[in-house]
PDB file of all heavy atoms in Angstrom:
ATOM      1  N   LEU A   1      92.825  18.783 150.062  1.00  0.00           N
ATOM      2  CA  LEU A   1      91.766  17.899 150.525  1.00  0.00           C
ATOM      3  C   LEU A   1      90.899  17.414 149.368  1.00  0.00           C
ATOM      4  O   LEU A   1      90.664  18.159 148.413  1.00  0.00           O
ATOM      5  CB  LEU A   1      90.879  18.634 151.530  1.00  0.00           C
ATOM      6  CG  LEU A   1      91.590  19.390 152.655  1.00  0.00           C
ATOM      7  CD1 LEU A   1      90.573  20.093 153.547  1.00  0.00           C
ATOM      8  CD2 LEU A   1      92.467  18.459 153.465  1.00  0.00           C
ATOM      9  N   ALA A   2      90.397  16.194 149.474  1.00  0.00           N
ATOM     10  CA  ALA A   2      89.480  15.646 148.477  1.00  0.00           C
ATOM     11  C   ALA A   2      88.184  16.446 148.486  1.00  0.00           C
ATOM     12  O   ALA A   2      87.626  16.723 149.542  1.00  0.00           O
ATOM     13  CB  ALA A   2      89.203  14.178 148.776  1.00  0.00           C
ATOM     14  N   ALA A   3      87.698  16.798 147.303  1.00  0.00           N
ATOM     15  CA  ALA A   3      86.460  17.570 147.189  1.00  0.00           C
ATOM     16  C   ALA A   3      85.233  16.729 147.530  1.00  0.00           C
ATOM     17  O   ALA A   3      84.193  17.269 147.864  1.00  0.00           O
ATOM     18  CB  ALA A   3      86.315  18.128 145.782  1.00  0.00           C
ATOM     19  N   GLY A   4      85.353  15.421 147.450  1.00  0.00           N
ATOM     20  CA  GLY A   4      84.227  14.539 147.750  1.00  0.00           C
ATOM     21  C   GLY A   4      84.710  13.111 147.892  1.00  0.00           C
ATOM     22  O   GLY A   4      85.871  12.796 147.601  1.00  0.00           O
ATOM     23  N   ASP A   5      83.824  12.242 148.348  1.00  0.00           N
ATOM     24  CA  ASP A   5      84.152  10.821 148.445  1.00  0.00           C
ATOM     25  C   ASP A   5      84.483  10.294 147.055  1.00  0.00           C
ATOM     26  O   ASP A   5      83.864  10.693 146.062  1.00  0.00           O
ATOM     27  CB  ASP A   5      82.963  10.028 148.987  1.00  0.00           C
ATOM     28  CG  ASP A   5      82.577  10.416 150.411  1.00  0.00           C
ATOM     29  OD1 ASP A   5      83.340  11.151 151.054  1.00  0.00           O
ATOM     30  OD2 ASP A   5      81.517   9.964 150.856  1.00  0.00           O
ATOM     31  N   GLY A   6      85.465   9.394 146.979  1.00  0.00           N
ATOM     32  CA  GLY A   6      85.827   8.829 145.688  1.00  0.00           C
ATOM     33  C   GLY A   6      86.934   7.810 145.818  1.00  0.00           C
ATOM     34  O   GLY A   6      87.263   7.349 146.918  1.00  0.00           O
ATOM     35  N   VAL A   7      87.512   7.480 144.675  1.00  0.00           N
ATOM     36  CA  VAL A   7      88.612   6.532 144.599  1.00  0.00           C
ATOM     37  C   VAL A   7      89.743   7.195 143.816  1.00  0.00           C
ATOM     38  O   VAL A   7      89.501   7.833 142.790  1.00  0.00           O
ATOM     39  CB  VAL A   7      88.176   5.230 143.894  1.00  0.00           C
ATOM     40  CG1 VAL A   7      89.341   4.281 143.706  1.00  0.00           C
ATOM     41  CG2 VAL A   7      87.061   4.554 144.667  1.00  0.00           C
ATOM     42  N   VAL A   8      90.961   7.028 144.292  1.00  0.00           N
ATOM     43  CA  VAL A   8      92.127   7.578 143.601  1.00  0.00           C
ATOM     44  C   VAL A   8      92.343   6.759 142.320  1.00  0.00           C
ATOM     45  O   VAL A   8      92.526   5.546 142.383  1.00  0.00           O
ATOM     46  CB  VAL A   8      93.390   7.511 144.488  1.00  0.00           C
ATOM     47  CG1 VAL A   8      94.593   8.058 143.739  1.00  0.00           C
ATOM     48  CG2 VAL A   8      93.164   8.257 145.795  1.00  0.00           C
ATOM     49  N   VAL A   9      92.296   7.433 141.169  1.00  0.00           N
ATOM     50  CA  VAL A   9      92.553   6.734 139.911  1.00  0.00           C
ATOM     51  C   VAL A   9      93.977   6.958 139.427  1.00  0.00           C
ATOM     52  O   VAL A   9      94.499   6.172 138.653  1.00  0.00           O
ATOM     53  CB  VAL A   9      91.542   7.095 138.803  1.00  0.00           C
ATOM     54  CG1 VAL A   9      90.171   6.544 139.136  1.00  0.00           C
ATOM     55  CG2 VAL A   9      91.472   8.577 138.545  1.00  0.00           C
ATOM     56  N   TYR A  10      94.597   8.048 139.893  1.00  0.00           N
ATOM     57  CA  TYR A  10      95.998   8.303 139.529  1.00  0.00           C
ATOM     58  C   TYR A  10      96.628   9.183 140.590  1.00  0.00           C
ATOM     59  O   TYR A  10      96.002  10.130 141.072  1.00  0.00           O
ATOM     60  CB  TYR A  10      96.102   8.979 138.162  1.00  0.00           C
ATOM     61  CG  TYR A  10      97.533   9.093 137.701  1.00  0.00           C
ATOM     62  CD1 TYR A  10      98.178   8.023 137.112  1.00  0.00           C
ATOM     63  CD2 TYR A  10      98.255  10.261 137.910  1.00  0.00           C
ATOM     64  CE1 TYR A  10      99.503   8.101 136.720  1.00  0.00           C
ATOM     65  CE2 TYR A  10      99.577  10.354 137.529  1.00  0.00           C
ATOM     66  CZ  TYR A  10     100.199   9.271 136.938  1.00  0.00           C
ATOM     67  OH  TYR A  10     101.521   9.354 136.561  1.00  0.00           O
ATOM     68  N   ALA A  11      97.860   8.878 140.943  1.00  0.00           N
ATOM     69  CA  ALA A  11      98.641   9.710 141.856  1.00  0.00           C
ATOM     70  C   ALA A  11     100.094   9.568 141.443  1.00  0.00           C
ATOM     71  O   ALA A  11     100.701   8.518 141.636  1.00  0.00           O
ATOM     72  CB  ALA A  11      98.441   9.266 143.296  1.00  0.00           C
ATOM     73  N   GLY A  12     100.639  10.604 140.824  1.00  0.00           N
ATOM     74  CA  GLY A  12     102.023  10.531 140.381  1.00  0.00           C
ATOM     75  C   GLY A  12     102.358  11.629 139.397  1.00  0.00           C
ATOM     76  O   GLY A  12     101.646  12.625 139.277  1.00  0.00           O
ATOM     77  N   ALA A  13     103.446  11.408 138.665  1.00  0.00           N
ATOM     78  CA  ALA A  13     103.973  12.415 137.743  1.00  0.00           C
ATOM     79  C   ALA A  13     103.310  12.336 136.379  1.00  0.00           C
ATOM     80  O   ALA A  13     103.053  11.257 135.858  1.00  0.00           O
ATOM     81  CB  ALA A  13     105.479  12.248 137.600  1.00  0.00           C
ATOM     82  N   VAL A  14     103.049  13.520 135.835  1.00  0.00           N
ATOM     83  CA  VAL A  14     102.625  13.687 134.448  1.00  0.00           C
ATOM     84  C   VAL A  14     103.446  14.845 133.923  1.00  0.00           C
ATOM     85  O   VAL A  14     103.339  15.953 134.436  1.00  0.00           O
ATOM     86  CB  VAL A  14     101.119  13.993 134.323  1.00  0.00           C
ATOM     87  CG1 VAL A  14     100.758  14.334 132.886  1.00  0.00           C
ATOM     88  CG2 VAL A  14     100.284  12.839 134.826  1.00  0.00           C
ATOM     89  N   ALA A  15     104.264  14.565 132.935  1.00  0.00           N
ATOM     90  CA  ALA A  15     105.199  15.572 132.410  1.00  0.00           C
ATOM     91  C   ALA A  15     106.068  16.082 133.558  1.00  0.00           C
ATOM     92  O   ALA A  15     106.686  15.293 134.242  1.00  0.00           O
ATOM     93  CB  ALA A  15     104.456  16.681 131.691  1.00  0.00           C
ATOM     94  N   ALA A  16     106.053  17.392 133.825  1.00  0.00           N
ATOM     95  CA  ALA A  16     106.941  17.968 134.841  1.00  0.00           C
ATOM     96  C   ALA A  16     106.252  18.192 136.179  1.00  0.00           C
ATOM     97  O   ALA A  16     106.816  18.819 137.057  1.00  0.00           O
ATOM     98  CB  ALA A  16     107.513  19.285 134.324  1.00  0.00           C
ATOM     99  N   ARG A  17     105.001  17.718 136.355  1.00  0.00           N
ATOM    100  CA  ARG A  17     104.276  17.945 137.603  1.00  0.00           C
ATOM    101  C   ARG A  17     103.726  16.635 138.158  1.00  0.00           C
ATOM    102  O   ARG A  17     103.558  15.660 137.442  1.00  0.00           O
ATOM    103  CB  ARG A  17     103.076  18.851 137.398  1.00  0.00           C
ATOM    104  CG  ARG A  17     103.320  20.151 136.794  1.00  0.00           C
ATOM    105  CD  ARG A  17     102.028  20.933 136.864  1.00  0.00           C
ATOM    106  NE  ARG A  17     101.375  20.993 135.574  1.00  0.00           N
ATOM    107  CZ  ARG A  17     101.118  22.095 134.934  1.00  0.00           C
ATOM    108  NH1 ARG A  17     101.450  23.239 135.461  1.00  0.00           N
ATOM    109  NH2 ARG A  17     100.523  22.092 133.793  1.00  0.00           N
ATOM    110  N   THR A  18     103.400  16.683 139.446  1.00  0.00           N
ATOM    111  CA  THR A  18     102.712  15.547 140.047  1.00  0.00           C
ATOM    112  C   THR A  18     101.280  15.955 140.346  1.00  0.00           C
ATOM    113  O   THR A  18     100.994  17.115 140.637  1.00  0.00           O
ATOM    114  CB  THR A  18     103.407  15.076 141.337  1.00  0.00           C
ATOM    115  OG1 THR A  18     103.564  16.174 142.209  1.00  0.00           O
ATOM    116  CG2 THR A  18     104.750  14.446 141.030  1.00  0.00           C
ATOM    117  N   LEU A  19     100.380  14.985 140.266  1.00  0.00           N
ATOM    118  CA  LEU A  19      98.971  15.271 140.462  1.00  0.00           C
ATOM    119  C   LEU A  19      98.262  14.073 141.066  1.00  0.00           C
ATOM    120  O   LEU A  19      98.799  12.965 141.105  1.00  0.00           O
ATOM    121  CB  LEU A  19      98.303  15.677 139.151  1.00  0.00           C
ATOM    122  CG  LEU A  19      98.234  14.631 138.039  1.00  0.00           C
ATOM    123  CD1 LEU A  19      96.967  13.812 138.129  1.00  0.00           C
ATOM    124  CD2 LEU A  19      98.290  15.331 136.692  1.00  0.00           C
ATOM    125  N   VAL A  20      97.050  14.329 141.523  1.00  0.00           N
ATOM    126  CA  VAL A  20      96.146  13.281 141.994  1.00  0.00           C
ATOM    127  C   VAL A  20      94.837  13.463 141.240  1.00  0.00           C
ATOM    128  O   VAL A  20      94.362  14.584 141.049  1.00  0.00           O
ATOM    129  CB  VAL A  20      95.914  13.374 143.522  1.00  0.00           C
ATOM    130  CG1 VAL A  20      94.794  12.439 143.966  1.00  0.00           C
ATOM    131  CG2 VAL A  20      97.194  13.045 144.276  1.00  0.00           C
ATOM    132  N   SER A  21      94.265  12.346 140.804  1.00  0.00           N
ATOM    133  CA  SER A  21      92.977  12.345 140.122  1.00  0.00           C
ATOM    134  C   SER A  21      92.044  11.398 140.866  1.00  0.00           C
ATOM    135  O   SER A  21      92.419  10.265 141.171  1.00  0.00           O
ATOM    136  CB  SER A  21      93.166  11.897 138.674  1.00  0.00           C
ATOM    137  OG  SER A  21      91.941  11.927 137.984  1.00  0.00           O
ATOM    138  N   LEU A  22      90.833  11.894 141.178  1.00  0.00           N
ATOM    139  CA  LEU A  22      89.843  11.113 141.919  1.00  0.00           C
ATOM    140  C   LEU A  22      88.606  10.876 141.064  1.00  0.00           C
ATOM    141  O   LEU A  22      88.138  11.793 140.379  1.00  0.00           O
ATOM    142  CB  LEU A  22      89.408  11.847 143.191  1.00  0.00           C
ATOM    143  CG  LEU A  22      90.485  12.278 144.176  1.00  0.00           C
ATOM    144  CD1 LEU A  22      89.853  13.037 145.341  1.00  0.00           C
ATOM    145  CD2 LEU A  22      91.260  11.076 144.674  1.00  0.00           C
ATOM    146  N   GLU A  23      88.078   9.661 141.127  1.00  0.00           N
ATOM    147  CA  GLU A  23      86.814   9.327 140.467  1.00  0.00           C
ATOM    148  C   GLU A  23      85.718   9.360 141.534  1.00  0.00           C
ATOM    149  O   GLU A  23      85.856   8.743 142.591  1.00  0.00           O
ATOM    150  CB  GLU A  23      86.892   7.937 139.853  1.00  0.00           C
ATOM    151  CG  GLU A  23      85.701   7.561 139.013  1.00  0.00           C
ATOM    152  CD  GLU A  23      85.714   8.222 137.638  1.00  0.00           C
ATOM    153  OE1 GLU A  23      86.802   8.478 137.093  1.00  0.00           O
ATOM    154  OE2 GLU A  23      84.621   8.483 137.120  1.00  0.00           O
ATOM    155  N   HIS A  24      84.623  10.094 141.247  1.00  0.00           N
ATOM    156  CA  HIS A  24      83.519  10.259 142.180  1.00  0.00           C
ATOM    157  C   HIS A  24      82.250   9.640 141.591  1.00  0.00           C
ATOM    158  O   HIS A  24      82.193   9.354 140.397  1.00  0.00           O
ATOM    159  CB  HIS A  24      83.270  11.748 142.468  1.00  0.00           C
ATOM    160  CG  HIS A  24      84.471  12.480 142.930  1.00  0.00           C
ATOM    161  ND1 HIS A  24      84.876  12.493 144.249  1.00  0.00           N
ATOM    162  CD2 HIS A  24      85.374  13.230 142.251  1.00  0.00           C
ATOM    163  CE1 HIS A  24      85.970  13.228 144.361  1.00  0.00           C
ATOM    164  NE2 HIS A  24      86.297  13.684 143.165  1.00  0.00           N
ATOM    165  N   ARG A  25      81.243   9.514 142.417  1.00  0.00           N
ATOM    166  CA  ARG A  25      79.950   9.010 141.932  1.00  0.00           C
ATOM    167  C   ARG A  25      79.425   9.900 140.821  1.00  0.00           C
ATOM    168  O   ARG A  25      79.747  11.077 140.757  1.00  0.00           O
ATOM    169  CB  ARG A  25      78.937   9.002 143.068  1.00  0.00           C
ATOM    170  CG  ARG A  25      79.160   7.895 144.032  1.00  0.00           C
ATOM    171  CD  ARG A  25      78.152   7.839 145.131  1.00  0.00           C
ATOM    172  NE  ARG A  25      76.878   8.467 144.783  1.00  0.00           N
ATOM    173  CZ  ARG A  25      75.881   8.629 145.603  1.00  0.00           C
ATOM    174  NH1 ARG A  25      75.974   8.219 146.830  1.00  0.00           N
ATOM    175  NH2 ARG A  25      74.756   9.209 145.224  1.00  0.00           N
ATOM    176  N   GLY A  26      78.649   9.310 139.958  1.00  0.00           N
ATOM    177  CA  GLY A  26      78.047  10.084 138.876  1.00  0.00           C
ATOM    178  C   GLY A  26      78.996  10.357 137.732  1.00  0.00           C
ATOM    179  O   GLY A  26      78.705  11.179 136.872  1.00  0.00           O
ATOM    180  N   GLY A  27      80.154   9.685 137.716  1.00  0.00           N
ATOM    181  CA  GLY A  27      81.097   9.867 136.618  1.00  0.00           C
ATOM    182  C   GLY A  27      81.940  11.121 136.687  1.00  0.00           C
ATOM    183  O   GLY A  27      82.597  11.483 135.711  1.00  0.00           O
ATOM    184  N   LEU A  28      81.956  11.805 137.828  1.00  0.00           N
ATOM    185  CA  LEU A  28      82.802  12.999 137.963  1.00  0.00           C
ATOM    186  C   LEU A  28      84.230  12.592 138.289  1.00  0.00           C
ATOM    187  O   LEU A  28      84.463  11.642 139.039  1.00  0.00           O
ATOM    188  CB  LEU A  28      82.289  13.906 139.083  1.00  0.00           C
ATOM    189  CG  LEU A  28      80.996  14.658 138.823  1.00  0.00           C
ATOM    190  CD1 LEU A  28      80.612  15.463 140.050  1.00  0.00           C
ATOM    191  CD2 LEU A  28      81.113  15.559 137.616  1.00  0.00           C
ATOM    192  N   ARG A  29      85.174  13.322 137.735  1.00  0.00           N
ATOM    193  CA  ARG A  29      86.585  13.122 138.051  1.00  0.00           C
ATOM    194  C   ARG A  29      87.179  14.478 138.391  1.00  0.00           C
ATOM    195  O   ARG A  29      87.048  15.430 137.630  1.00  0.00           O
ATOM    196  CB  ARG A  29      87.322  12.514 136.869  1.00  0.00           C
ATOM    197  CG  ARG A  29      88.784  12.236 137.206  1.00  0.00           C
ATOM    198  CD  ARG A  29      89.474  11.487 136.107  1.00  0.00           C
ATOM    199  NE  ARG A  29      88.990  10.116 136.098  1.00  0.00           N
ATOM    200  CZ  ARG A  29      89.622   9.122 135.506  1.00  0.00           C
ATOM    201  NH1 ARG A  29      90.740   9.328 134.871  1.00  0.00           N
ATOM    202  NH2 ARG A  29      89.115   7.906 135.529  1.00  0.00           N
ATOM    203  N   THR A  30      87.830  14.568 139.557  1.00  0.00           N
ATOM    204  CA  THR A  30      88.516  15.807 139.936  1.00  0.00           C
ATOM    205  C   THR A  30      90.019  15.589 139.866  1.00  0.00           C
ATOM    206  O   THR A  30      90.514  14.489 140.112  1.00  0.00           O
ATOM    207  CB  THR A  30      88.121  16.262 141.365  1.00  0.00           C
ATOM    208  OG1 THR A  30      88.331  15.190 142.287  1.00  0.00           O
ATOM    209  CG2 THR A  30      86.674  16.703 141.423  1.00  0.00           C
ATOM    210  N   THR A  31      90.740  16.658 139.520  1.00  0.00           N
ATOM    211  CA  THR A  31      92.202  16.613 139.455  1.00  0.00           C
ATOM    212  C   THR A  31      92.763  17.753 140.284  1.00  0.00           C
ATOM    213  O   THR A  31      92.163  18.833 140.374  1.00  0.00           O
ATOM    214  CB  THR A  31      92.718  16.723 138.010  1.00  0.00           C
ATOM    215  OG1 THR A  31      92.192  17.915 137.416  1.00  0.00           O
ATOM    216  CG2 THR A  31      92.310  15.517 137.183  1.00  0.00           C
ATOM    217  N   TYR A  32      93.914  17.489 140.872  1.00  0.00           N
ATOM    218  CA  TYR A  32      94.582  18.422 141.779  1.00  0.00           C
ATOM    219  C   TYR A  32      96.060  18.421 141.414  1.00  0.00           C
ATOM    220  O   TYR A  32      96.715  17.380 141.489  1.00  0.00           O
ATOM    221  CB  TYR A  32      94.419  17.950 143.232  1.00  0.00           C
ATOM    222  CG  TYR A  32      93.006  17.578 143.599  1.00  0.00           C
ATOM    223  CD1 TYR A  32      92.460  16.349 143.203  1.00  0.00           C
ATOM    224  CD2 TYR A  32      92.218  18.438 144.337  1.00  0.00           C
ATOM    225  CE1 TYR A  32      91.162  15.998 143.542  1.00  0.00           C
ATOM    226  CE2 TYR A  32      90.918  18.093 144.686  1.00  0.00           C
ATOM    227  CZ  TYR A  32      90.400  16.873 144.276  1.00  0.00           C
ATOM    228  OH  TYR A  32      89.113  16.522 144.613  1.00  0.00           O
ATOM    229  N   GLU A  33      96.599  19.596 141.057  1.00  0.00           N
ATOM    230  CA  GLU A  33      98.021  19.664 140.722  1.00  0.00           C
ATOM    231  C   GLU A  33      98.566  21.066 140.958  1.00  0.00           C
ATOM    232  O   GLU A  33      97.791  22.018 140.934  1.00  0.00           O
ATOM    233  CB  GLU A  33      98.265  19.236 139.279  1.00  0.00           C
ATOM    234  CG  GLU A  33      97.608  20.145 138.250  1.00  0.00           C
ATOM    235  CD  GLU A  33      97.948  19.788 136.835  1.00  0.00           C
ATOM    236  OE1 GLU A  33      99.063  20.146 136.389  1.00  0.00           O
ATOM    237  OE2 GLU A  33      97.121  19.161 136.173  1.00  0.00           O
ATOM    238  N   PRO A  34      99.812  21.238 141.189  1.00  0.00           N
ATOM    239  CA  PRO A  34     100.847  20.237 141.451  1.00  0.00           C
ATOM    240  C   PRO A  34     100.862  19.894 142.949  1.00  0.00           C
ATOM    241  O   PRO A  34     100.961  20.784 143.794  1.00  0.00           O
ATOM    242  CB  PRO A  34     102.127  20.951 141.050  1.00  0.00           C
ATOM    243  CG  PRO A  34     101.860  22.392 141.375  1.00  0.00           C
ATOM    244  CD  PRO A  34     100.374  22.590 141.173  1.00  0.00           C
ATOM    245  N   ILE A  35     100.722  18.638 143.260  1.00  0.00           N
ATOM    246  CA  ILE A  35     100.767  18.223 144.657  1.00  0.00           C
ATOM    247  C   ILE A  35     101.670  17.011 144.818  1.00  0.00           C
ATOM    248  O   ILE A  35     101.832  16.220 143.896  1.00  0.00           O
ATOM    249  CB  ILE A  35      99.372  17.938 145.251  1.00  0.00           C
ATOM    250  CG1 ILE A  35      98.724  16.694 144.668  1.00  0.00           C
ATOM    251  CG2 ILE A  35      98.450  19.127 145.064  1.00  0.00           C
ATOM    252  CD1 ILE A  35      97.439  16.289 145.394  1.00  0.00           C
ATOM    253  N   ALA A  36     102.257  16.906 145.997  1.00  0.00           N
ATOM    254  CA  ALA A  36     102.994  15.699 146.381  1.00  0.00           C
ATOM    255  C   ALA A  36     101.937  14.745 146.934  1.00  0.00           C
ATOM    256  O   ALA A  36     101.356  15.015 147.991  1.00  0.00           O
ATOM    257  CB  ALA A  36     104.039  16.021 147.438  1.00  0.00           C
ATOM    258  N   PRO A  37     101.627  13.656 146.217  1.00  0.00           N
ATOM    259  CA  PRO A  37     100.551  12.771 146.651  1.00  0.00           C
ATOM    260  C   PRO A  37     100.807  12.137 148.017  1.00  0.00           C
ATOM    261  O   PRO A  37     101.924  11.745 148.340  1.00  0.00           O
ATOM    262  CB  PRO A  37     100.513  11.691 145.570  1.00  0.00           C
ATOM    263  CG  PRO A  37     101.190  12.295 144.382  1.00  0.00           C
ATOM    264  CD  PRO A  37     102.221  13.226 144.949  1.00  0.00           C
ATOM    265  N   ALA A  38      99.725  12.025 148.797  1.00  0.00           N
ATOM    266  CA  ALA A  38      99.769  11.315 150.072  1.00  0.00           C
ATOM    267  C   ALA A  38      98.910  10.057 149.977  1.00  0.00           C
ATOM    268  O   ALA A  38      98.660   9.402 150.980  1.00  0.00           O
ATOM    269  CB  ALA A  38      99.258  12.217 151.194  1.00  0.00           C
ATOM    270  N   VAL A  39      98.432   9.741 148.762  1.00  0.00           N
ATOM    271  CA  VAL A  39      97.577   8.592 148.500  1.00  0.00           C
ATOM    272  C   VAL A  39      98.113   7.856 147.281  1.00  0.00           C
ATOM    273  O   VAL A  39      98.962   8.377 146.555  1.00  0.00           O
ATOM    274  CB  VAL A  39      96.111   9.034 148.256  1.00  0.00           C
ATOM    275  CG1 VAL A  39      95.497   9.618 149.520  1.00  0.00           C
ATOM    276  CG2 VAL A  39      96.024  10.035 147.114  1.00  0.00           C
ATOM    277  N   SER A  40      97.597   6.663 147.042  1.00  0.00           N
ATOM    278  CA  SER A  40      98.009   5.900 145.863  1.00  0.00           C
ATOM    279  C   SER A  40      96.777   5.399 145.117  1.00  0.00           C
ATOM    280  O   SER A  40      95.672   5.337 145.674  1.00  0.00           O
ATOM    281  CB  SER A  40      98.912   4.731 146.266  1.00  0.00           C
ATOM    282  OG  SER A  40      98.253   3.919 147.217  1.00  0.00           O
ATOM    283  N   ALA A  41      96.965   5.046 143.851  1.00  0.00           N
ATOM    284  CA  ALA A  41      95.861   4.597 143.000  1.00  0.00           C
ATOM    285  C   ALA A  41      95.136   3.413 143.624  1.00  0.00           C
ATOM    286  O   ALA A  41      95.743   2.534 144.227  1.00  0.00           O
ATOM    287  CB  ALA A  41      96.392   4.236 141.622  1.00  0.00           C
ATOM    288  N   GLY A  42      93.809   3.433 143.490  1.00  0.00           N
ATOM    289  CA  GLY A  42      92.971   2.360 144.002  1.00  0.00           C
ATOM    290  C   GLY A  42      92.437   2.585 145.405  1.00  0.00           C
ATOM    291  O   GLY A  42      91.557   1.878 145.863  1.00  0.00           O
TER     292      GLY A  42
END
């Protein structure tokens, strides 16, 4: 689950894992890995 409201900035493979990265208010970015994304960038 998303830790807070935000926008998906990346959802896909990095090296040998897949991850999702979210941009939140105040310049915070959270990352979650290894997950099969259910969302897409933007």
